[in-house]
């Protein structure tokens, strides 16, 4: 029916906005940290709020427990991302490598949680999507730290395209 189609379109748009906010506010935090800009605390706070919004969006489909677990894992994802950028900026390779391993493990936990909640999502596909997200985020931050602004912009464009694919994958699994 027409109202069902409209509801699906609205849901897809809302899902895309949540994930676009995720990469937008992540970029804001990366810029703040790498370039020592004011407003870092506010950007981090907004980015963490986005993780709450993503968890809340999953609540109607997968319940309170899954939503809370997802939100907690996403909060960890954000803290780890900030710590990785700080370690890279400090050129602390051992710390970068340690946090990066934890970041990958966290992304695998997110993938597993989502796939356990919805059998329409395949674990290997979800892990691949999550790992791609981490790789592209790292490329973006690395380019920024190197002051290679052309590569920085190109990396963000790839990351933005990837997050829309991830959003659509999540949306299709729900519908």
């Amino acid at each position: 029916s027409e109202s069902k189609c409209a509801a699906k379109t609205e849901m897809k748009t809302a899902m895309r906005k949540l994930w676009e906010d995720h990469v937008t506010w992540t970029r804001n935090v990366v810029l703040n940290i790498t370039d020592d800009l004011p407003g870092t605390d506010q950007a981090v706070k907004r980015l963490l709020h986005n993780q709450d919004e993503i968890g809340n969006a999953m609540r109607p489909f997968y319940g309170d427990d899954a939503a809370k677990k997802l939100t907690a894992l996403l909060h960890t994802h954000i803290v780890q991302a900030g710590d990785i950028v700080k370690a890279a900026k400090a050129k602390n390779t051992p710390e970068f490598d340690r946090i990066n391993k934890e970041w990958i493990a966290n992304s695998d936990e997110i993938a597993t949680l989502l796939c356990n909640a919805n059998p329409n999502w395949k674990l290997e596909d979800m892990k691949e999507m999550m790992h791609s997200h981490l790789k592209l985020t790292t490329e973006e931050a690395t380019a920024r730290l190197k002051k290679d602004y052309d590569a920085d912009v190109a990396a963000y464009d790839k990351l933005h395209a990837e997050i829309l694919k991830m959003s659509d994958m999540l949306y299709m699994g729900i519908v």
Side-chain angles (χ1 to χ4, degrees):
S1 77
E2 198 171 310
S3 65
K4 194 173 187 180
C5 183
K8 283 182 179 181
T9 300
E10 188 176 307
M11 182 182 154
K12 183 175 184 178
T13 300
M15 182 76 73
R16 280 181 154 222
K17 177 168 182 342
L18 286 173
W19 289 103
E20 284 184 306
D21 281 355
H22 179 79
V23 294
T24 299
W25 285 105
T26 298
R27 179 161 179 77
N28 193 306
V29 169
V30 167
L31 297 177
N32 283 333
I33 292 171
T34 59
D35 298 344
D36 296 315
L37 299 174
T40 301
D41 291 345
Q42 292 82 0
V44 169
K45 183 178 176 183
R46 177 59 181 89
L47 179 55
L48 289 170
H49 177 67
N50 171 249
Q51 308 324 291
D52 297 335
E53 293 173 321
I54 292 169
N56 288 335
M58 297 298 183
R59 182 169 277 111
F61 305 102
Y62 307 112
D64 285 339
D65 190 46
K68 285 178 187 172
K69 285 179 183 170
L70 178 60
T71 300
L73 287 169
L74 288 170
H75 273 255
T76 299
H77 167 74
I78 295 308
V79 171
Q80 289 168 330
D83 289 346
I84 282 175
V85 174
K86 290 172 191 170
K89 184 177 180 180
K91 296 180 174 44
N92 185 341
T93 303
E95 185 70 359
F96 177 93
D97 291 344
R98 181 187 66 76
I99 299 166
N100 194 51
K101 281 181 187 170
E102 292 173 2
W103 203 31
I104 292 167
N106 168 267
S107 79
D108 289 346
E109 284 184 75
I110 293 169
T112 300
L113 175 70
L114 291 170
C115 292
N116 285 342
N118 186 330
N120 292 319
W121 297 318
K122 301 298 173 233
L123 184 58
E124 287 311 309
D125 293 343
M126 189 65 71
K127 280 185 175 183
E128 184 179 321
M129 187 74 69
M130 294 293 297
H131 291 190
S132 175
H133 177 67
L134 300 184
K135 179 180 172 283
L136 291 170
T137 301
T138 301
E139 286 177 15
E140 175 190 18
T142 300
R144 189 74 188 188
L145 284 166
K146 291 179 178 177
K147 299 187 184 324
D148 184 346
Y149 302 116
D150 290 331
D152 170 40
V153 169
Y156 177 75
D157 284 344
K158 282 193 245 174
L159 182 62
H160 191 184
E162 181 267 343
I163 209 69
L164 292 175
K165 287 180 189 171
M166 182 185 290
S167 174
D168 291 349
M169 179 179 164
L170 293 168
Y171 163 77
M172 290 305 296
I174 292 169
V175 297

